[in-house]
């Protein structure tokens, strides 16, 4: 989970942008402004309600961002993570929890899995320990090299739709915090369907623009603030359509959290309620609780589990 900072220059501000005129989900060309007060230049499809950035960055320039600084930088809150590697234990705990859930749908036999957007490979390393035969994919060359060097797993470098992986090969494909970044979400989900065996399971998670926290906080929703590089904002209905239209039956919808240290949690809390964070930070220092981890579910990240249709 990234840490919010203010007054940091936006890394991607210089990236060339092009105007997207057609809805990626339904092909409609009519849009209306969506929550213009948040300053993100969002529009909403008038037919299927998909929310997206009208002026989208060039994907190749965008991917050039995902070097080492994306996973370790001092200006996250705009781009990337404060220190992804230092958060390894929390990411592993979150991975175990998510895998335990998805394994309810994959059956006792654990076969081949692919994690799209595998970052440093902590998720696939946990999956391996749980009995899966694992592969990763990431657009970040730094991340791919890290996984290969440290774990030795097969890790593919590039956008999923450019990788040409074998058809009907995987039993499980996971895609966490990825679909909101890609220039063609429909193409990515179609590709996942091609790569899965019939009956294979797909799980993805993304910020939920239709969630109660999003609707209650409006332009101040943390989902708008945290990531300069998010180009699509899905809701449960638009994600369901994305899956249904591209070969999947939805099995389960839930909101998921992650394990965080108290220090990070207080930092996040300070974003919404600065008046609460000062006294809590004092308490945290006094009781020396900084590195204690616990599960936080802000109810605005949606995870959908789906099965490839026969
Ligand atoms: Zn649409």
């Amino acid at each position: 989970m990234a840490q919010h900072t203010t007054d940091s220059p936006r890394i991607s501000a210089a990236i060339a942008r092009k105007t997207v005129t057609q809805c990626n989900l339904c092909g409609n060309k009519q849009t209306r402004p969506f929550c213009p007060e948040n300053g993100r230049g969002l529009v909403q499809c008038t037919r299927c309600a998909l929310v997206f950035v009208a002026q989208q960055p060039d994907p190749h320039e965008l991917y050039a961002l995902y070097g080492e600084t994306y996973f370790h930088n001092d200006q996250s809150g705009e781009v990337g993570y404060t220190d992804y590697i230092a958060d390894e234990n929390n990411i592993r705990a979150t991975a175990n929890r998510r895998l335990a859930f998805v394994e309810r749908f994959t059956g006792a036999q654990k076969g081949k899995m692919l994690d799209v957007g595998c970052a440093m490979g902590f998720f696939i390393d946990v999956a391996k320990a749980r009995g899966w035969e694992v592969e990763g994919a990431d657009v970040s060359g730094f991340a791919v090299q890290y996984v290969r060097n440290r774990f030795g797993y097969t890790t593919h470098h590039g956008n999923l739709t450019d990788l040409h992986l074998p058809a009907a090969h995987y039993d499980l494909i996971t895609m966490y915090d990825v679909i909101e970044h890609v220039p063609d979400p429909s193409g990515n989900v179609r590709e996942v369907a091609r790569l899965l065996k019939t009956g294979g399971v797909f799980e993805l998670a993304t910020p939920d623009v239709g969630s109660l926290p999003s609707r209650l906080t409006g332009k101040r929703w943390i989902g708008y603030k945290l990531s300069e590089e998010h180009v699509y904002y899905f809701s449960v209905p638009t994600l369901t359509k994305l899956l249904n239209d591209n070969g999947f039956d939805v099995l389960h919808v839930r909101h998921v959290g992650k394990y965080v240290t108290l220090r990070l949690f207080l930092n996040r809390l300070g974003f919404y309620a600065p008046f609460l964070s000062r006294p809590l930070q004092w308490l945290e220092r006094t009781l020396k609780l900084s590195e204690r981890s616990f599960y936080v579910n802000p109810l605005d990240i949606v995870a959908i589990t789906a099965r490839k249709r026969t």
Side-chain angles (χ1 to χ4, degrees):
M1 194 187 269
Q3 171 185 326
H4 181 78
T5 54
T6 50
D7 304 325
S8 56
R10 288 180 178 172
I11 298 174
S12 58
I15 283 184
R17 288 169 185 268
K18 67 172 169 54
T19 307
V20 174
T21 52
Q22 194 165 18
C23 173
N24 184 263
L25 199 46
C26 76
N28 178 26
K29 289 184 175 168
Q30 249 105 53
T31 60
R32 57 179 161 249
F34 182 84
C35 194
E37 318 81 69
N38 70 31
R40 288 278 151 146
L42 299 180
V43 294
Q44 182 170 41
C45 172
T46 56
R47 190 196 289 161
C48 76
L50 180 66
V51 175
F52 55 100
V53 175
Q55 299 283 321
Q56 297 202 359
D58 178 279
H60 296 100
E61 288 193 47
L62 193 58
Y63 295 154
L65 272 181
Y66 302 128
E68 180 171 1
T69 51
Y70 184 78
F71 295 100
H72 186 153
N73 71 73
D74 58 6
Q75 54 190 24
S76 61
E78 299 291 343
V79 173
Y81 297 90
T82 305
D83 197 342
Y84 192 91
I85 297 173
D87 206 28
E88 175 169 347
N89 289 339
N90 286 321
I91 295 164
R92 285 178 179 275
T94 305
N96 259 311
R97 190 178 175 121
R98 288 195 183 170
L99 282 161
F101 185 87
V102 80
E103 283 165 9
R104 293 191 207 172
F105 302 97
T106 55
Q109 185 71 33
K110 287 170 188 149
K112 291 189 172 68
M113 77 153 287
L114 171 70
D115 185 33
V116 181
C118 67
M120 304 309 164
F122 305 147
F123 186 85
I124 53 175
D125 195 45
V126 168
K128 170 79 177 174
R130 297 179 71 94
W132 291 92
E133 205 179 310
V134 300
E135 289 176 28
D138 207 287
V139 295
S140 165
F142 169 76
V144 166
Q145 211 51 55
Y146 184 94
V147 179
R148 288 176 185 163
N149 291 345
R150 178 164 168 199
F151 301 113
Y153 298 136
T154 300
T155 313
H156 310 278
H157 181 205
N159 192 356
L160 183 66
T161 48
D162 299 329
L163 292 176
H164 309 292
L165 298 174
H169 186 70
Y170 301 96
D171 301 279
L172 169 65
I173 297 182
T174 50
M175 191 188 265
Y176 299 121
D177 312 317
V178 168
I179 200 78
E180 65 274 20
H181 296 254
V182 301
D184 177 13
S186 293
N188 273 262
V189 173
R190 251 193 325 276
E191 180 65 0
V192 170
R194 190 184 71 81
L195 299 177
L196 278 172
K197 295 174 185 169
T198 296
V201 172
F202 177 35
E203 180 164 275
L204 81 171
T206 186
D208 178 1
V209 74
S211 64
L212 199 59
S214 164
R215 281 182 278 142
L216 288 177
T217 55
K219 67 172 183 180
R220 282 181 51 77
W221 182 42
I222 203 158
Y224 299 131
K225 307 285 176 191
L226 276 181
S227 242
E228 167 80 347
E229 74 275 31
H230 288 179
V231 286
Y232 286 95
Y233 290 83
F234 287 94
S235 62
V236 174
T238 53
L239 273 177
T240 302
K241 178 172 170 54
L242 177 71
L243 290 162
N244 284 339
D245 290 358
N246 291 289
F248 289 94
D249 290 322
V250 170
L251 299 171
H252 195 273
V253 180
R254 69 200 196 280
H255 287 95
V256 290
K258 42 182 91 174
Y259 286 91
V260 297
T261 55
L262 189 62
R263 180 164 38 83
L264 195 59
F265 176 73
L266 292 177
N267 201 292
R268 263 310 154 80
L269 187 66
F271 179 77
Y272 283 123
F275 59 95
L276 269 180
S277 99
R278 280 280 170 75
L280 283 170
Q281 269 161 6
W282 174 82
L283 200 66
E284 171 213 351
R285 279 196 306 273
T286 310
L287 300 176
K288 295 185 171 47
L289 292 172
S290 292
E291 300 312 317
R292 189 79 57 84
S293 283
F294 58 108
Y295 188 75
V296 177
N297 188 344
L299 303 175
D300 62 358
I301 305 292
V302 60
I304 297 198
T305 316
R307 194 182 299 283
K308 181 178 173 177
R309 209 174 284 138
T310 48

